[in-house]
């Protein structure tokens, strides 16, 4: 029997690559997505389409109620999405307080319930400056907690923790992945904006890999 793994799957290019990497490595994959009130909820529709095409058992959990407790993020509040690269200090407004700890906790519980020994998510080095819950020390501590929080230990795995989005895309291209089946933009409009940090980082990754991004943009 294949080992089971829960993959936190947002519908973005990082988690899309993690999902396919887990499939390539022979795991029985259980994708788990969350609706936490993100304005770019379009990513969830993309995730559902991918999981349907792969015949995967995809769960989408509605946790929008947590937004009555968590405030101040431009991803969930009525605050303008900042423009520019992730290196810019204004991108800190996209931090959702404690998001990954919440999502990982739920994913670990799901893993225990289905007998999976691993939870995978797409934290990478490009996120380390802005997002504390994507840094190695956070992943290591969450992994420690996941070993003792239940009778069954679960390993928290971030396969690209020390890689950047350029490396992630390169790995996905080697796997022959179609990145038109992903959504990256923080604005949930018909086309990607090309200006927000998420778009900027994505466009840079495609440029440095010498490949044209298959998505259309309002402005790139």
């Amino acid at each position: 029997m294949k080992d089971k793994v829960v993959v936190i799957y947002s519908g973005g290019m990082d988690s899309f690559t993690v999902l396919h990497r887990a499939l390539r490595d022979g795991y029985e994959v259980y994708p788990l997505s969350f609706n936490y009130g993100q304005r770019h909820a379009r990513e969830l529709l993309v995730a559902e389409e991918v999981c349907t095409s792969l015949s995967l058992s995809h769960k989408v959990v509605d946790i929008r109620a947590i937004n009555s407790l968590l405030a101040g993020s431009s991803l969930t509040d009525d605050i303008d999405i900042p423009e520019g690269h992730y290196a810019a200090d204004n991108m800190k407004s996209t931090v959702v307080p404690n998001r990954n700890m919440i999502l990982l906790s739920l994913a670990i519980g799901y893993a225990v319930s289905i007998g999976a020994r691993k939870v995978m998510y797409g934290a990478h080095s490009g996120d380390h400056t802005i997002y504390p819950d994507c840094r190695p020390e956070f992943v290591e501590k969450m992994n420690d907690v996941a070993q003792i929080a239940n009778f069954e230990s679960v390993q928290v795995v971030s396969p690209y923790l020390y890689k950047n989005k350029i490396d992630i895309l390169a790995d996905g291209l080697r796997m022959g992945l179609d990145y038109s089946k992903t959504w990256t933009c923080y604005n949930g409009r018909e086309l990607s904006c090309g200006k927000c940090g998420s778009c900027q980082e994505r466009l840079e990754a495609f440029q440095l890999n010498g490949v044209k991004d298959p998505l259309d943009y309002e402005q790139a």
Side-chain angles (χ1 to χ4, degrees):
M1 293 179 63
K2 294 182 178 180
D3 291 335
K4 296 178 180 178
V5 63
V6 173
V7 174
I8 298 180
Y9 180 38
S10 69
M13 60 184 293
D14 304 329
S15 62
F16 176 75
T17 311
V18 171
L19 179 80
H20 283 85
R21 178 169 171 156
L23 290 169
R24 180 200 65 186
D25 290 346
Y27 288 103
E28 183 178 342
V29 178
Y30 289 80
L32 179 61
S33 303
F34 297 95
N35 183 347
Y36 56 90
Q38 63 269 47
R39 65 173 68 192
H40 55 299
R42 179 172 175 173
E43 65 181 2
L44 298 175
L45 300 177
V46 174
E48 182 61 37
E49 290 171 359
V50 168
C51 291
T52 298
S53 70
L54 295 171
S55 300
L56 296 176
S57 177
H58 181 216
K59 285 191 178 294
V60 181
V61 182
D62 189 340
I63 58 171
R64 285 176 291 177
I66 68 172
N67 283 330
S68 64
L69 303 175
L70 311 179
S73 173
S74 57
L75 299 191
T76 55
D77 283 352
D78 189 18
I79 302 170
D80 289 342
I81 295 289
E83 296 179 358
H85 198 274
Y86 273 121
D89 194 62
N90 66 340
M91 289 304 297
K92 289 181 179 177
S93 79
T94 64
V95 173
V96 178
N98 218 36
R99 178 180 62 177
N100 282 346
M101 183 178 286
I102 294 167
L103 303 190
L104 283 167
S105 294
L106 294 170
I108 290 164
Y110 179 41
V112 169
S113 74
I114 63 172
R117 291 302 181 91
K118 289 184 179 180
V119 169
M120 300 177 72
Y121 84 118
H124 62 85
S125 66
D127 289 335
H128 293 177
T129 301
I130 300 298
Y131 302 116
D133 56 5
C134 291
R135 294 173 185 166
E137 53 266 39
F138 171 81
V139 177
E140 291 164 6
K141 296 300 184 184
M142 281 300 297
N143 184 52
D144 290 343
V145 169
Q147 306 301 308
I148 61 174
N150 299 278
F151 289 114
E152 303 84 0
S153 64
V154 175
Q155 184 181 7
V156 175
V157 180
S158 300
Y160 298 110
L161 188 59
Y162 296 99
K163 304 290 186 180
N164 58 30
K165 195 176 289 282
I166 301 160
D167 301 320
I168 294 172
L169 178 59
D171 196 27
L173 293 172
R174 283 191 292 268
M175 287 188 277
L177 303 187
D178 179 2
Y179 284 92
S180 69
K181 298 179 179 179
T182 63
W183 182 261
T184 299
C185 184
Y186 281 153
N187 289 293
R189 301 193 288 262
E190 184 65 26
L191 298 179
S192 299
C193 71
K195 294 182 177 180
C196 70
S198 193
C199 282
Q200 289 282 304
E201 189 183 45
R202 176 185 174 120
L203 287 164
E204 179 183 55
F206 274 94
Q207 180 184 17
L208 292 177
N209 273 284
V211 180
K212 185 180 185 302
D213 189 341
L215 293 186
D216 292 323
Y217 286 82
E218 297 173 351
Q219 180 174 340

